[in-house]
Amino acid sequence: MNLASIPSPSTGVIELGPIPLRGYAFCIIIGVFVAVWFGNKRWIARGGKAGTVADIAVWAVPFGLVGGRLYHVITDYQLYFSEGENWVDAFKIWEGGLGIWGAIAFGAVGAWIGCRRRGIPLPAWADALAPGIAFAQAIGRWGNWFNQELYGKPTDLPWAVEISEGANRVAGTYHPTFLYESLWCIGVALLVIWADRRFTLGHGRAFALYVAAYCAGRAWIEYMRVDEAHHILGLRLNVWTAIIVFVLAVVYIVVSAKLRPGREEIVEPGRDTTPGKDADAKDADAKDAEQDADAKEDPLSKDEPGESGKDLTAESTEAAAEKG
């Protein structure tokens, strides 16, 4: 018997007149805004221009949504294309079903297009956005809570999530894997922020660290889930994906650190990110202004001769008279 548990909402939709507000979509939208807002702050801190992150996100977000949905539909095709299922449901993204692997892969393609149009290096932009993406995932995972999906094995722990009877689910209390992943993503974001400040990560290494850290958590969280999934050698497909992507991310960090150590000095055309550059320029301008003010106050700098000028003129006249 459970003395405490996390209740699930009775419905994932709030009817606001004729407009349905779906909890899943709401969480995704909030996550996107947080990622863009936080990424913009980091981009400016690196020397970029305000608004650039949002401009590139206009390309990255739609590509990411399409890629995330494609990955989900392809890896769980039986939910839409098996006998008795309606293939049209594959387009109902608001009912849940986004694969982070496809979202990141396709989102990177969209970001590459946006960066290329602005003349910006994609790795630098990805580094700025990395912790924001992790925060967005932490928020987005609560969409699974609204839909009562992607929970773990049965448990009577105090933080178990209550699941009601429904299609393809049995009422009971289960491990809240959505909560585990949400907390893990927050930890990943904080790790990337700390490591970026401590080691001055650049050339895509902050983003690679985010990928590696996320995959490390996703592997064990995925193993706890009880929803239908394809298995390879006894492991869920997403576990294998997490392992492979983790290895690739770690290899990238090691190789990149050797080939391109340090961080990009200039991340956006027209902006110089050299430390102290702006401060030096302001100091130089202030000194120039001070010198101009002194020059105006100095009587010797005027075109009209002063008293000393008159004395010199008189001495010159006397000398000429003696010679004559």
Side-chain angles (χ1 to χ4, degrees), residues 139-174:
I139 297 170
R141 270 306 175 199
W142 283 87
N144 302 132
W145 175 65
F146 280 100
N147 287 353
Q148 296 195 44
E149 60 184 0
L150 306 188
Y151 45 84
K153 300 173 182 178
T155 182
D156 57 358
L157 290 171
W159 56 84
V161 62
E162 298 176 12
I163 299 298
S164 60
E165 191 73 26
N168 301 318
R169 66 176 187 247
V170 179
T173 55
Y174 300 85

PDB file of all heavy atoms in Angstrom, residues 139-174:
ATOM      1  N   ILE A 139      12.021  20.346 -19.117  1.00  0.00           N
ATOM      2  CA  ILE A 139      10.646  20.851 -19.110  1.00  0.00           C
ATOM      3  C   ILE A 139       9.750  19.993 -20.003  1.00  0.00           C
ATOM      4  O   ILE A 139       8.628  19.640 -19.632  1.00  0.00           O
ATOM      5  CB  ILE A 139      10.622  22.312 -19.593  1.00  0.00           C
ATOM      6  CG1 ILE A 139      11.412  23.202 -18.621  1.00  0.00           C
ATOM      7  CG2 ILE A 139       9.187  22.820 -19.723  1.00  0.00           C
ATOM      8  CD1 ILE A 139      11.644  24.608 -19.125  1.00  0.00           C
ATOM      9  N   GLY A 140      10.251  19.635 -21.163  1.00  0.00           N
ATOM     10  CA  GLY A 140       9.455  18.860 -22.117  1.00  0.00           C
ATOM     11  C   GLY A 140       9.039  17.496 -21.604  1.00  0.00           C
ATOM     12  O   GLY A 140       7.967  16.997 -21.957  1.00  0.00           O
ATOM     13  N   ARG A 141       9.861  16.886 -20.746  1.00  0.00           N
ATOM     14  CA  ARG A 141       9.536  15.559 -20.226  1.00  0.00           C
ATOM     15  C   ARG A 141       8.253  15.553 -19.402  1.00  0.00           C
ATOM     16  O   ARG A 141       7.598  14.511 -19.282  1.00  0.00           O
ATOM     17  CB  ARG A 141      10.699  15.014 -19.391  1.00  0.00           C
ATOM     18  CG  ARG A 141      11.709  14.214 -20.182  1.00  0.00           C
ATOM     19  CD  ARG A 141      11.050  13.109 -20.945  1.00  0.00           C
ATOM     20  NE  ARG A 141      11.964  12.387 -21.820  1.00  0.00           N
ATOM     21  CZ  ARG A 141      11.593  11.640 -22.828  1.00  0.00           C
ATOM     22  NH1 ARG A 141      10.295  11.536 -23.135  1.00  0.00           N
ATOM     23  NH2 ARG A 141      12.465  11.000 -23.571  1.00  0.00           N
ATOM     24  N   TRP A 142       7.868  16.696 -18.868  1.00  0.00           N
ATOM     25  CA  TRP A 142       6.630  16.742 -18.103  1.00  0.00           C
ATOM     26  C   TRP A 142       5.410  16.588 -19.004  1.00  0.00           C
ATOM     27  O   TRP A 142       4.306  16.328 -18.518  1.00  0.00           O
ATOM     28  CB  TRP A 142       6.564  18.041 -17.296  1.00  0.00           C
ATOM     29  CG  TRP A 142       7.443  17.962 -16.100  1.00  0.00           C
ATOM     30  CD1 TRP A 142       8.769  18.260 -16.028  1.00  0.00           C
ATOM     31  CD2 TRP A 142       7.069  17.509 -14.801  1.00  0.00           C
ATOM     32  NE1 TRP A 142       9.252  18.023 -14.755  1.00  0.00           N
ATOM     33  CE2 TRP A 142       8.224  17.571 -13.983  1.00  0.00           C
ATOM     34  CE3 TRP A 142       5.870  17.064 -14.228  1.00  0.00           C
ATOM     35  CZ2 TRP A 142       8.214  17.191 -12.639  1.00  0.00           C
ATOM     36  CZ3 TRP A 142       5.869  16.698 -12.884  1.00  0.00           C
ATOM     37  CH2 TRP A 142       7.027  16.759 -12.110  1.00  0.00           C
ATOM     38  N   GLY A 143       5.608  16.719 -20.299  1.00  0.00           N
ATOM     39  CA  GLY A 143       4.521  16.439 -21.229  1.00  0.00           C
ATOM     40  C   GLY A 143       4.102  14.978 -21.170  1.00  0.00           C
ATOM     41  O   GLY A 143       2.922  14.646 -21.376  1.00  0.00           O
ATOM     42  N   ASN A 144       5.078  14.083 -20.873  1.00  0.00           N
ATOM     43  CA  ASN A 144       4.753  12.660 -20.721  1.00  0.00           C
ATOM     44  C   ASN A 144       3.901  12.410 -19.488  1.00  0.00           C
ATOM     45  O   ASN A 144       3.107  11.467 -19.449  1.00  0.00           O
ATOM     46  CB  ASN A 144       6.044  11.835 -20.635  1.00  0.00           C
ATOM     47  CG  ASN A 144       6.945  12.012 -21.842  1.00  0.00           C
ATOM     48  OD1 ASN A 144       8.143  12.237 -21.703  1.00  0.00           O
ATOM     49  ND2 ASN A 144       6.378  11.943 -23.035  1.00  0.00           N
ATOM     50  N   TRP A 145       4.075  13.248 -18.478  1.00  0.00           N
ATOM     51  CA  TRP A 145       3.242  13.144 -17.277  1.00  0.00           C
ATOM     52  C   TRP A 145       1.792  13.490 -17.618  1.00  0.00           C
ATOM     53  O   TRP A 145       0.862  12.806 -17.180  1.00  0.00           O
ATOM     54  CB  TRP A 145       3.789  14.083 -16.207  1.00  0.00           C
ATOM     55  CG  TRP A 145       2.955  14.154 -14.960  1.00  0.00           C
ATOM     56  CD1 TRP A 145       2.719  13.148 -14.073  1.00  0.00           C
ATOM     57  CD2 TRP A 145       2.258  15.295 -14.455  1.00  0.00           C
ATOM     58  NE1 TRP A 145       1.921  13.582 -13.038  1.00  0.00           N
ATOM     59  CE2 TRP A 145       1.624  14.907 -13.247  1.00  0.00           C
ATOM     60  CE3 TRP A 145       2.116  16.612 -14.890  1.00  0.00           C
ATOM     61  CZ2 TRP A 145       0.860  15.787 -12.487  1.00  0.00           C
ATOM     62  CZ3 TRP A 145       1.368  17.486 -14.133  1.00  0.00           C
ATOM     63  CH2 TRP A 145       0.736  17.071 -12.943  1.00  0.00           C
ATOM     64  N   PHE A 146       1.585  14.520 -18.405  1.00  0.00           N
ATOM     65  CA  PHE A 146       0.226  14.891 -18.813  1.00  0.00           C
ATOM     66  C   PHE A 146      -0.435  13.775 -19.613  1.00  0.00           C
ATOM     67  O   PHE A 146      -1.640  13.530 -19.498  1.00  0.00           O
ATOM     68  CB  PHE A 146       0.251  16.169 -19.659  1.00  0.00           C
ATOM     69  CG  PHE A 146       0.362  17.428 -18.852  1.00  0.00           C
ATOM     70  CD1 PHE A 146       1.582  18.074 -18.709  1.00  0.00           C
ATOM     71  CD2 PHE A 146      -0.753  17.975 -18.233  1.00  0.00           C
ATOM     72  CE1 PHE A 146       1.687  19.234 -17.964  1.00  0.00           C
ATOM     73  CE2 PHE A 146      -0.659  19.139 -17.483  1.00  0.00           C
ATOM     74  CZ  PHE A 146       0.566  19.772 -17.350  1.00  0.00           C
ATOM     75  N   ASN A 147       0.358  13.075 -20.439  1.00  0.00           N
ATOM     76  CA  ASN A 147      -0.185  12.009 -21.282  1.00  0.00           C
ATOM     77  C   ASN A 147      -0.165  10.643 -20.614  1.00  0.00           C
ATOM     78  O   ASN A 147      -0.591   9.652 -21.207  1.00  0.00           O
ATOM     79  CB  ASN A 147       0.597  11.929 -22.595  1.00  0.00           C
ATOM     80  CG  ASN A 147       0.280  13.082 -23.535  1.00  0.00           C
ATOM     81  OD1 ASN A 147      -0.620  13.877 -23.272  1.00  0.00           O
ATOM     82  ND2 ASN A 147       1.009  13.173 -24.621  1.00  0.00           N
ATOM     83  N   GLN A 148       0.363  10.551 -19.392  1.00  0.00           N
ATOM     84  CA  GLN A 148       0.487   9.285 -18.667  1.00  0.00           C
ATOM     85  C   GLN A 148       1.187   8.231 -19.539  1.00  0.00           C
ATOM     86  O   GLN A 148       0.652   7.167 -19.823  1.00  0.00           O
ATOM     87  CB  GLN A 148      -0.887   8.781 -18.217  1.00  0.00           C
ATOM     88  CG  GLN A 148      -1.574   9.688 -17.215  1.00  0.00           C
ATOM     89  CD  GLN A 148      -2.736   9.020 -16.513  1.00  0.00           C
ATOM     90  OE1 GLN A 148      -2.647   7.863 -16.089  1.00  0.00           O
ATOM     91  NE2 GLN A 148      -3.854   9.737 -16.369  1.00  0.00           N
ATOM     92  N   GLU A 149       2.407   8.547 -19.939  1.00  0.00           N
ATOM     93  CA  GLU A 149       3.148   7.654 -20.822  1.00  0.00           C
ATOM     94  C   GLU A 149       4.627   7.611 -20.416  1.00  0.00           C
ATOM     95  O   GLU A 149       5.092   8.433 -19.620  1.00  0.00           O
ATOM     96  CB  GLU A 149       3.036   8.136 -22.269  1.00  0.00           C
ATOM     97  CG  GLU A 149       3.600   9.544 -22.480  1.00  0.00           C
ATOM     98  CD  GLU A 149       3.416  10.059 -23.885  1.00  0.00           C
ATOM     99  OE1 GLU A 149       2.855   9.324 -24.712  1.00  0.00           O
ATOM    100  OE2 GLU A 149       3.819  11.211 -24.150  1.00  0.00           O
ATOM    101  N   LEU A 150       5.310   6.630 -20.952  1.00  0.00           N
ATOM    102  CA  LEU A 150       6.754   6.476 -20.738  1.00  0.00           C
ATOM    103  C   LEU A 150       7.139   6.378 -19.266  1.00  0.00           C
ATOM    104  O   LEU A 150       8.137   6.946 -18.821  1.00  0.00           O
ATOM    105  CB  LEU A 150       7.521   7.624 -21.408  1.00  0.00           C
ATOM    106  CG  LEU A 150       7.252   7.862 -22.895  1.00  0.00           C
ATOM    107  CD1 LEU A 150       8.207   8.890 -23.455  1.00  0.00           C
ATOM    108  CD2 LEU A 150       7.299   6.574 -23.697  1.00  0.00           C
ATOM    109  N   TYR A 151       6.345   5.639 -18.500  1.00  0.00           N
ATOM    110  CA  TYR A 151       6.676   5.404 -17.094  1.00  0.00           C
ATOM    111  C   TYR A 151       7.477   4.108 -16.979  1.00  0.00           C
ATOM    112  O   TYR A 151       7.635   3.347 -17.941  1.00  0.00           O
ATOM    113  CB  TYR A 151       5.402   5.334 -16.250  1.00  0.00           C
ATOM    114  CG  TYR A 151       4.302   4.510 -16.851  1.00  0.00           C
ATOM    115  CD1 TYR A 151       4.256   3.126 -16.680  1.00  0.00           C
ATOM    116  CD2 TYR A 151       3.299   5.121 -17.607  1.00  0.00           C
ATOM    117  CE1 TYR A 151       3.251   2.374 -17.243  1.00  0.00           C
ATOM    118  CE2 TYR A 151       2.287   4.361 -18.178  1.00  0.00           C
ATOM    119  CZ  TYR A 151       2.261   2.990 -17.991  1.00  0.00           C
ATOM    120  OH  TYR A 151       1.262   2.237 -18.556  1.00  0.00           O
ATOM    121  N   GLY A 152       7.974   3.851 -15.767  1.00  0.00           N
ATOM    122  CA  GLY A 152       8.834   2.694 -15.562  1.00  0.00           C
ATOM    123  C   GLY A 152       8.108   1.497 -14.979  1.00  0.00           C
ATOM    124  O   GLY A 152       6.895   1.348 -15.126  1.00  0.00           O
ATOM    125  N   LYS A 153       8.864   0.657 -14.299  1.00  0.00           N
ATOM    126  CA  LYS A 153       8.318  -0.573 -13.737  1.00  0.00           C
ATOM    127  C   LYS A 153       7.466  -0.263 -12.500  1.00  0.00           C
ATOM    128  O   LYS A 153       7.613   0.791 -11.881  1.00  0.00           O
ATOM    129  CB  LYS A 153       9.468  -1.520 -13.380  1.00  0.00           C
ATOM    130  CG  LYS A 153      10.317  -1.903 -14.582  1.00  0.00           C
ATOM    131  CD  LYS A 153      11.540  -2.701 -14.165  1.00  0.00           C
ATOM    132  CE  LYS A 153      12.417  -3.029 -15.384  1.00  0.00           C
ATOM    133  NZ  LYS A 153      13.643  -3.757 -15.003  1.00  0.00           N
ATOM    134  N   PRO A 154       6.579  -1.180 -12.119  1.00  0.00           N
ATOM    135  CA  PRO A 154       5.744  -0.959 -10.922  1.00  0.00           C
ATOM    136  C   PRO A 154       6.601  -0.779  -9.676  1.00  0.00           C
ATOM    137  O   PRO A 154       7.643  -1.418  -9.512  1.00  0.00           O
ATOM    138  CB  PRO A 154       4.908  -2.245 -10.833  1.00  0.00           C
ATOM    139  CG  PRO A 154       4.874  -2.771 -12.226  1.00  0.00           C
ATOM    140  CD  PRO A 154       6.214  -2.441 -12.819  1.00  0.00           C
ATOM    141  N   THR A 155       6.177   0.103  -8.794  1.00  0.00           N
ATOM    142  CA  THR A 155       6.899   0.358  -7.554  1.00  0.00           C
ATOM    143  C   THR A 155       5.943   0.948  -6.514  1.00  0.00           C
ATOM    144  O   THR A 155       4.897   1.498  -6.863  1.00  0.00           O
ATOM    145  CB  THR A 155       8.071   1.337  -7.773  1.00  0.00           C
ATOM    146  OG1 THR A 155       8.776   1.521  -6.553  1.00  0.00           O
ATOM    147  CG2 THR A 155       7.558   2.685  -8.245  1.00  0.00           C
ATOM    148  N   ASP A 156       6.310   0.803  -5.245  1.00  0.00           N
ATOM    149  CA  ASP A 156       5.513   1.404  -4.179  1.00  0.00           C
ATOM    150  C   ASP A 156       6.303   2.490  -3.449  1.00  0.00           C
ATOM    151  O   ASP A 156       6.001   2.850  -2.318  1.00  0.00           O
ATOM    152  CB  ASP A 156       5.058   0.333  -3.181  1.00  0.00           C
ATOM    153  CG  ASP A 156       6.232  -0.430  -2.576  1.00  0.00           C
ATOM    154  OD1 ASP A 156       7.392  -0.146  -2.968  1.00  0.00           O
ATOM    155  OD2 ASP A 156       6.000  -1.307  -1.720  1.00  0.00           O
ATOM    156  N   LEU A 157       7.318   3.041  -4.117  1.00  0.00           N
ATOM    157  CA  LEU A 157       8.101   4.130  -3.542  1.00  0.00           C
ATOM    158  C   LEU A 157       7.225   5.370  -3.361  1.00  0.00           C
ATOM    159  O   LEU A 157       6.247   5.565  -4.095  1.00  0.00           O
ATOM    160  CB  LEU A 157       9.282   4.460  -4.452  1.00  0.00           C
ATOM    161  CG  LEU A 157      10.398   3.399  -4.514  1.00  0.00           C
ATOM    162  CD1 LEU A 157      11.393   3.742  -5.626  1.00  0.00           C
ATOM    163  CD2 LEU A 157      11.115   3.298  -3.167  1.00  0.00           C
ATOM    164  N   PRO A 158       7.577   6.226  -2.402  1.00  0.00           N
ATOM    165  CA  PRO A 158       6.750   7.412  -2.137  1.00  0.00           C
ATOM    166  C   PRO A 158       6.617   8.344  -3.338  1.00  0.00           C
ATOM    167  O   PRO A 158       5.647   9.091  -3.434  1.00  0.00           O
ATOM    168  CB  PRO A 158       7.480   8.109  -0.980  1.00  0.00           C
ATOM    169  CG  PRO A 158       8.279   7.035  -0.331  1.00  0.00           C
ATOM    170  CD  PRO A 158       8.671   6.101  -1.421  1.00  0.00           C
ATOM    171  N   TRP A 159       7.596   8.314  -4.236  1.00  0.00           N
ATOM    172  CA  TRP A 159       7.531   9.197  -5.405  1.00  0.00           C
ATOM    173  C   TRP A 159       7.024   8.483  -6.656  1.00  0.00           C
ATOM    174  O   TRP A 159       7.192   8.971  -7.771  1.00  0.00           O
ATOM    175  CB  TRP A 159       8.906   9.821  -5.673  1.00  0.00           C
ATOM    176  CG  TRP A 159       9.999   8.809  -5.848  1.00  0.00           C
ATOM    177  CD1 TRP A 159      10.336   8.134  -6.975  1.00  0.00           C
ATOM    178  CD2 TRP A 159      10.913   8.368  -4.837  1.00  0.00           C
ATOM    179  NE1 TRP A 159      11.383   7.297  -6.752  1.00  0.00           N
ATOM    180  CE2 TRP A 159      11.771   7.424  -5.446  1.00  0.00           C
ATOM    181  CE3 TRP A 159      11.093   8.681  -3.484  1.00  0.00           C
ATOM    182  CZ2 TRP A 159      12.782   6.782  -4.738  1.00  0.00           C
ATOM    183  CZ3 TRP A 159      12.108   8.046  -2.799  1.00  0.00           C
ATOM    184  CH2 TRP A 159      12.933   7.111  -3.408  1.00  0.00           C
ATOM    185  N   ALA A 160       6.398   7.342  -6.473  1.00  0.00           N
ATOM    186  CA  ALA A 160       5.812   6.627  -7.615  1.00  0.00           C
ATOM    187  C   ALA A 160       4.730   7.482  -8.265  1.00  0.00           C
ATOM    188  O   ALA A 160       4.074   8.292  -7.606  1.00  0.00           O
ATOM    189  CB  ALA A 160       5.226   5.302  -7.156  1.00  0.00           C
ATOM    190  N   VAL A 161       4.544   7.321  -9.562  1.00  0.00           N
ATOM    191  CA  VAL A 161       3.517   8.077 -10.277  1.00  0.00           C
ATOM    192  C   VAL A 161       2.276   7.201 -10.448  1.00  0.00           C
ATOM    193  O   VAL A 161       2.375   6.002 -10.742  1.00  0.00           O
ATOM    194  CB  VAL A 161       4.031   8.555 -11.650  1.00  0.00           C
ATOM    195  CG1 VAL A 161       4.397   7.375 -12.559  1.00  0.00           C
ATOM    196  CG2 VAL A 161       3.015   9.447 -12.341  1.00  0.00           C
ATOM    197  N   GLU A 162       1.127   7.782 -10.218  1.00  0.00           N
ATOM    198  CA  GLU A 162      -0.134   7.049 -10.365  1.00  0.00           C
ATOM    199  C   GLU A 162      -0.574   7.068 -11.831  1.00  0.00           C
ATOM    200  O   GLU A 162      -0.659   8.132 -12.434  1.00  0.00           O
ATOM    201  CB  GLU A 162      -1.215   7.699  -9.502  1.00  0.00           C
ATOM    202  CG  GLU A 162      -0.917   7.678  -8.013  1.00  0.00           C
ATOM    203  CD  GLU A 162      -1.970   8.422  -7.215  1.00  0.00           C
ATOM    204  OE1 GLU A 162      -3.035   8.745  -7.810  1.00  0.00           O
ATOM    205  OE2 GLU A 162      -1.750   8.693  -6.023  1.00  0.00           O
ATOM    206  N   ILE A 163      -0.837   5.883 -12.348  1.00  0.00           N
ATOM    207  CA  ILE A 163      -1.303   5.747 -13.730  1.00  0.00           C
ATOM    208  C   ILE A 163      -2.709   5.155 -13.698  1.00  0.00           C
ATOM    209  O   ILE A 163      -2.949   4.141 -13.037  1.00  0.00           O
ATOM    210  CB  ILE A 163      -0.365   4.838 -14.556  1.00  0.00           C
ATOM    211  CG1 ILE A 163       1.044   5.447 -14.602  1.00  0.00           C
ATOM    212  CG2 ILE A 163      -0.913   4.643 -15.961  1.00  0.00           C
ATOM    213  CD1 ILE A 163       1.132   6.798 -15.271  1.00  0.00           C
ATOM    214  N   SER A 164      -3.626   5.794 -14.406  1.00  0.00           N
ATOM    215  CA  SER A 164      -5.007   5.312 -14.441  1.00  0.00           C
ATOM    216  C   SER A 164      -5.211   4.335 -15.588  1.00  0.00           C
ATOM    217  O   SER A 164      -4.384   4.238 -16.500  1.00  0.00           O
ATOM    218  CB  SER A 164      -5.967   6.492 -14.587  1.00  0.00           C
ATOM    219  OG  SER A 164      -5.708   7.210 -15.784  1.00  0.00           O
ATOM    220  N   GLU A 165      -6.303   3.611 -15.534  1.00  0.00           N
ATOM    221  CA  GLU A 165      -6.620   2.644 -16.588  1.00  0.00           C
ATOM    222  C   GLU A 165      -6.848   3.375 -17.904  1.00  0.00           C
ATOM    223  O   GLU A 165      -7.476   4.429 -17.950  1.00  0.00           O
ATOM    224  CB  GLU A 165      -7.879   1.863 -16.206  1.00  0.00           C
ATOM    225  CG  GLU A 165      -8.156   0.659 -17.085  1.00  0.00           C
ATOM    226  CD  GLU A 165      -7.197  -0.493 -16.808  1.00  0.00           C
ATOM    227  OE1 GLU A 165      -6.670  -0.578 -15.677  1.00  0.00           O
ATOM    228  OE2 GLU A 165      -6.973  -1.297 -17.739  1.00  0.00           O
ATOM    229  N   GLY A 166      -6.327   2.824 -18.974  1.00  0.00           N
ATOM    230  CA  GLY A 166      -6.488   3.451 -20.282  1.00  0.00           C
ATOM    231  C   GLY A 166      -5.989   2.554 -21.383  1.00  0.00           C
ATOM    232  O   GLY A 166      -5.652   1.382 -21.158  1.00  0.00           O
ATOM    233  N   ALA A 167      -5.951   3.103 -22.589  1.00  0.00           N
ATOM    234  CA  ALA A 167      -5.484   2.336 -23.746  1.00  0.00           C
ATOM    235  C   ALA A 167      -4.015   1.957 -23.561  1.00  0.00           C
ATOM    236  O   ALA A 167      -3.163   2.810 -23.337  1.00  0.00           O
ATOM    237  CB  ALA A 167      -5.662   3.169 -25.012  1.00  0.00           C
ATOM    238  N   ASN A 168      -3.724   0.674 -23.645  1.00  0.00           N
ATOM    239  CA  ASN A 168      -2.355   0.147 -23.550  1.00  0.00           C
ATOM    240  C   ASN A 168      -1.688   0.441 -22.208  1.00  0.00           C
ATOM    241  O   ASN A 168      -0.460   0.518 -22.116  1.00  0.00           O
ATOM    242  CB  ASN A 168      -1.481   0.703 -24.684  1.00  0.00           C
ATOM    243  CG  ASN A 168      -2.025   0.370 -26.052  1.00  0.00           C
ATOM    244  OD1 ASN A 168      -2.485  -0.754 -26.301  1.00  0.00           O
ATOM    245  ND2 ASN A 168      -1.993   1.344 -26.958  1.00  0.00           N
ATOM    246  N   ARG A 169      -2.485   0.613 -21.149  1.00  0.00           N
ATOM    247  CA  ARG A 169      -1.884   0.808 -19.836  1.00  0.00           C
ATOM    248  C   ARG A 169      -2.802   0.236 -18.755  1.00  0.00           C
ATOM    249  O   ARG A 169      -4.031   0.203 -18.902  1.00  0.00           O
ATOM    250  CB  ARG A 169      -1.589   2.287 -19.576  1.00  0.00           C
ATOM    251  CG  ARG A 169      -2.800   3.187 -19.473  1.00  0.00           C
ATOM    252  CD  ARG A 169      -2.376   4.612 -19.107  1.00  0.00           C
ATOM    253  NE  ARG A 169      -3.504   5.471 -18.827  1.00  0.00           N
ATOM    254  CZ  ARG A 169      -3.867   6.516 -19.572  1.00  0.00           C
ATOM    255  NH1 ARG A 169      -3.180   6.805 -20.663  1.00  0.00           N
ATOM    256  NH2 ARG A 169      -4.911   7.257 -19.230  1.00  0.00           N
ATOM    257  N   VAL A 170      -2.168  -0.209 -17.669  1.00  0.00           N
ATOM    258  CA  VAL A 170      -2.877  -0.802 -16.536  1.00  0.00           C
ATOM    259  C   VAL A 170      -2.734   0.125 -15.339  1.00  0.00           C
ATOM    260  O   VAL A 170      -1.642   0.642 -15.067  1.00  0.00           O
ATOM    261  CB  VAL A 170      -2.301  -2.193 -16.200  1.00  0.00           C
ATOM    262  CG1 VAL A 170      -3.021  -2.787 -14.999  1.00  0.00           C
ATOM    263  CG2 VAL A 170      -2.394  -3.110 -17.411  1.00  0.00           C
ATOM    264  N   ALA A 171      -3.814   0.344 -14.612  1.00  0.00           N
ATOM    265  CA  ALA A 171      -3.786   1.235 -13.454  1.00  0.00           C
ATOM    266  C   ALA A 171      -2.812   0.708 -12.403  1.00  0.00           C
ATOM    267  O   ALA A 171      -2.691  -0.497 -12.170  1.00  0.00           O
ATOM    268  CB  ALA A 171      -5.189   1.364 -12.867  1.00  0.00           C
ATOM    269  N   GLY A 172      -2.094   1.625 -11.765  1.00  0.00           N
ATOM    270  CA  GLY A 172      -1.138   1.238 -10.732  1.00  0.00           C
ATOM    271  C   GLY A 172      -0.170   2.368 -10.460  1.00  0.00           C
ATOM    272  O   GLY A 172      -0.338   3.500 -10.946  1.00  0.00           O
ATOM    273  N   THR A 173       0.843   2.080  -9.678  1.00  0.00           N
ATOM    274  CA  THR A 173       1.893   3.065  -9.387  1.00  0.00           C
ATOM    275  C   THR A 173       3.206   2.557  -9.974  1.00  0.00           C
ATOM    276  O   THR A 173       3.576   1.403  -9.779  1.00  0.00           O
ATOM    277  CB  THR A 173       2.043   3.285  -7.876  1.00  0.00           C
ATOM    278  OG1 THR A 173       2.272   2.033  -7.223  1.00  0.00           O
ATOM    279  CG2 THR A 173       0.787   3.942  -7.304  1.00  0.00           C
ATOM    280  N   TYR A 174       3.910   3.454 -10.661  1.00  0.00           N
ATOM    281  CA  TYR A 174       5.103   3.069 -11.406  1.00  0.00           C
ATOM    282  C   TYR A 174       6.238   4.068 -11.167  1.00  0.00           C
ATOM    283  O   TYR A 174       6.010   5.182 -10.690  1.00  0.00           O
ATOM    284  CB  TYR A 174       4.790   3.020 -12.906  1.00  0.00           C
ATOM    285  CG  TYR A 174       3.702   2.044 -13.287  1.00  0.00           C
ATOM    286  CD1 TYR A 174       2.354   2.421 -13.212  1.00  0.00           C
ATOM    287  CD2 TYR A 174       4.004   0.767 -13.734  1.00  0.00           C
ATOM    288  CE1 TYR A 174       1.342   1.534 -13.562  1.00  0.00           C
ATOM    289  CE2 TYR A 174       3.003  -0.123 -14.092  1.00  0.00           C
ATOM    290  CZ  TYR A 174       1.676   0.263 -13.998  1.00  0.00           C
ATOM    291  OH  TYR A 174       0.690  -0.622 -14.343  1.00  0.00           O
TER     292      TYR A 174
END
